[in-house]
Amino acid sequence: MTSPGPEAAAAVHEASTVLVVEDEPSIADVLAISLRYHRFEVMTAGTVREALALAERTRPDAALLDVMLPDGDGRALGRELRAQRPELALVFITARDAPAEIVGALGFGDDYITKPFNIDEVVARTRAVLRRTRPADVLPQRPPLRYRDLELDETTYTVRRDGRAVELTPTEYALLRFLVRNGGAVVPKEQLLRHVWQYEHTAESTVVETYISYLRRKLDALGPPLITTRRGVGYGLA
């Protein structure tokens, strides 16, 4: 796991408190350790009941919520927390990445991250939602990524093509960012599985093809085809 240095973390408002609600201890520990490294105050809970009690006592600024919890649904928990504190930033973390699931969660949440996740991306997305919900905070600026008429804002995780906004899911964004960072090079499917989904030895998976088709549908609506296929090898940008 690679992380920006503590100098970048110091730019985050040190009063920001994050509530992590995750029933898998190993995942909760990784999230808590990484967020604390970046100088967030972190509380952890493994159930809906524990989370509600913690939130009432400490009033967190952001909550990272697993969708499937032993005693309830993380989305229902998010609604209850948001009702108690409308300015609370909500990020859902789940193994489910079906479009309907994502759209449903983003109907009232601020972001949606699928498992397995990249921990640096979780930290960056937490900062991004806090920027939107706490605009007075000082958060580190990152220069945008650019490729031809495409621009990816690394601070807000937004995408524009030819000046027009492109609405992407977190997984679509991560895939596009990795392609952009590799410029015009063809990226093997196995490399995409490792770096975007953290999958190993699963070349038979069709998840890459599925998300490439999602990206093409959204990007090609705003300009000429951008993503190329090298059959039997991988994908790149034209």
Side-chain angles (χ1 to χ4, degrees):
M1 179 178 69
T2 60
S3 301
E7 294 83 2
V12 176
H13 197 295
E14 295 189 9
S16 296
T17 300
V18 180
L19 171 62
V20 174
V21 186
E22 168 61 62
D23 64 322
E24 284 287 339
S26 59
I27 297 177
D29 286 347
V30 168
L31 289 168
I33 290 169
S34 298
L35 288 165
R36 286 175 181 138
Y37 175 81
H38 290 274
R39 302 190 185 179
F40 288 98
E41 294 293 330
V42 182
M43 305 172 297
T44 60
T47 65
V48 171
R49 184 177 179 180
E50 291 174 358
L52 289 171
L54 273 174
E56 185 175 353
R57 292 198 308 269
T58 59
R59 296 180 62 78
D61 302 295
L64 305 186
L65 308 177
D66 187 10
V67 168
M68 301 178 67
L69 295 167
D71 59 342
D73 188 308
R75 290 164 297 190
L77 170 61
R79 291 183 192 275
E80 189 164 353
L81 292 173
R82 179 62 65 76
Q84 295 173 4
R85 192 174 184 191
E87 70 275 17
L88 176 69
L90 293 177
V91 178
F92 294 99
I93 300 179
T94 178
R96 299 173 175 175
D97 63 354
E101 294 278 350
I102 296 172
V103 171
L106 291 179
F108 64 94
D110 298 293
D111 210 340
Y112 191 104
I113 299 172
T114 55
K115 299 177 182 177
F117 52 75
N118 179 294
I119 190 62
D120 289 336
E121 184 171 354
V122 174
V123 173
R125 286 181 177 275
T126 301
R127 287 175 173 157
V129 297
L130 283 169
R131 175 180 294 281
R132 295 196 292 269
T133 58
R134 303 181 66 189
D137 285 347
V138 178
L139 296 171
Q141 295 284 343
R142 301 174 68 184
L145 292 175
R146 292 189 174 89
Y147 185 89
R148 299 188 184 277
D149 62 351
L150 200 62
E151 181 177 298
L152 282 69
D153 190 316
E154 288 279 80
T155 301
T156 62
Y157 283 78
T158 56
V159 177
R160 304 184 76 82
R161 185 173 191 194
D162 194 26
R164 290 173 288 178
V166 184
E167 296 296 329
L168 299 183
T169 67
T171 303
E172 290 166 354
Y173 180 92
L175 175 57
L176 181 61
R177 179 179 61 183
F178 195 72
L179 291 174
V180 170
R181 284 180 171 172
N182 281 274
V186 174
V187 182
K189 175 181 173 180
E190 293 79 6
Q191 191 174 352
L192 291 171
L193 284 167
R194 285 197 304 272
H195 287 270
V196 178
W197 285 271
Q198 285 75 58
Y199 290 173
E200 294 288 347
H201 312 300
T202 54
E204 71 279 4
S205 172
T206 61
V207 68
V208 175
E209 289 85 349
T210 299
Y211 274 88
I212 287 290
S213 70
Y214 293 161
L215 280 177
R216 280 180 168 145
R217 185 167 63 246
K218 294 181 177 182
L219 294 173
D220 292 358
L222 300 175
L226 186 64
I227 299 175
T228 63
T229 301
R230 179 73 62 84
R231 195 168 300 278
V233 180
Y235 301 91
L237 298 177

